[in-house]
Amino acid sequence: MDFSFLPKYWAYFNYGVVVTILISAFVVFFGTIIGVLVALAKRSNIKVLDWLVSFYVWVFRGTPMVVQIMISFAWMKFHNLPTIPFGVLDMDFSRLLPGMIILSLNSGAYISETVRAGIDAVPKGQLEAAYSLGIRPKNAMRYVILPQALKNILPALGNEFVTIIKDSSLLQTIGVMELWNGAQSVVTATYLPIEPLLFAAFYYLIVTTVMSAMIKRFENRLGQGEKK
């Protein structure tokens, strides 16, 4: 194994992992918003709305993410968006934006089921108590049920963040310069077919391990807070 390329091409991995984390944070943030809205829509009494969001979840959970990414890039044509230099890499928003949108929609489909389970886990007595105090159903869901449900699903959202860090590598299929595509650039420049990819995989492993440890620590603190 020859890793002598690292001092010269280290920046490709460093900037790539920053782009990967930024993409993941964007996706989880907007995916959570989409997931909450979809979960609430599925609980509404509007049949058409329930059917539409159920169809959305069915499509995004039932098709490969890489297919969704390719279709979105072919469909969403943002020709006038800028390309901004970011260290040794370029952030081409005409490629980055479609990728982040489709990842957010995909993440939202999965998070919606997590949110639905979190809402169902809240004791029904909480809702009944809110009604008995004269709180309207809309406000009861917003101020009583959702805060408790979101507390239940926070660990799952952390795990979703770790998953998106790995899945964001699929954006290299449309030319987004994240960590994996940065590694591919090093392969092209050095003519080393294995070592840059192995180092990128190791970098992913380090980042996801650190994130998982942080999530685990947060879960333990959350559990201690509930015991008190």
Side-chain angles (χ1 to χ4, degrees):
M1 293 291 178
D2 179 13
F3 290 94
S4 60
F5 65 89
L6 278 177
K8 183 177 180 180
Y9 294 100
W10 184 264
Y12 283 84
F13 299 97
N14 284 341
Y15 284 104
V17 80
V18 172
V19 173
T20 294
I21 292 173
L22 290 175
I23 291 171
S24 302
F26 177 96
V27 168
V28 171
F29 177 76
F30 285 99
T32 300
I33 294 175
I34 294 169
V36 170
L37 293 176
V38 169
L40 294 177
K42 292 189 73 172
R43 297 177 64 88
S44 70
N45 295 322
I46 305 173
K47 296 297 181 182
V48 175
L49 185 59
D50 181 24
W51 184 87
L52 286 174
V53 296
S54 296
F55 179 77
Y56 152 72
V57 172
W58 173 63
V59 169
F60 277 90
R61 285 170 63 94
T63 56
M65 188 184 292
V66 67
V67 174
Q68 298 167 13
I69 291 170
M70 297 300 292
I71 291 175
S72 71
F73 180 64
W75 189 25
M76 304 178 197
K77 298 185 182 297
F78 299 108
H79 296 300
N80 297 323
L81 293 182
T83 297
I84 299 176
F86 184 70
V88 296
L89 304 179
D90 291 327
M91 297 182 69
D92 183 355
F93 283 90
S94 64
R95 299 176 183 273
L96 187 61
L97 190 57
M100 291 194 299
I101 289 173
I102 206 67
L103 284 183
S104 298
L105 290 171
N106 183 283
S107 180
Y110 285 92
I111 290 176
S112 68
E113 294 299 300
T114 303
V115 173
R116 181 189 59 79
I119 293 174
D120 291 340
V122 176
K124 293 182 179 180
Q126 296 287 322
L127 196 59
E128 295 171 356
Y131 290 161
S132 68
L133 294 173
I135 302 176
R136 295 180 179 180
K138 181 180 179 180
N139 289 334
M141 178 60 69
R142 179 179 179 183
Y143 295 111
V144 179
I145 304 302
L146 272 181
Q148 296 182 68
L150 290 177
K151 186 177 181 181
N152 293 335
I153 68 171
L154 279 176
L157 293 180
N159 292 329
E160 178 69 9
F161 185 65
V162 172
T163 299
I164 293 299
I165 287 175
K166 294 180 291 183
D167 289 345
S168 64
S169 62
L170 295 174
L171 294 182
Q172 63 90 20
T173 57
I174 59 173
V176 174
M177 293 301 295
E178 37 66 64
L179 175 56
W180 192 249
N181 210 348
Q184 295 279 9
S185 299
V186 177
V187 168
T188 302
T190 61
Y191 300 103
L192 295 171
I194 299 296
E195 289 86 346
L197 302 184
L198 285 176
F199 186 76
F202 175 73
Y203 218 150
Y204 276 114
L205 185 61
I206 293 298
V207 172
T208 55
T209 299
V210 171
M211 288 302 305
S212 297
M214 292 173 63
I215 293 166
K216 186 64 176 177
R217 184 177 180 182
F218 175 75
E219 290 179 9
N220 292 337
R221 293 184 63 182
L222 192 63
Q224 291 174 1
E226 289 177 350
K227 290 178 182 178
K228 294 178 181 179

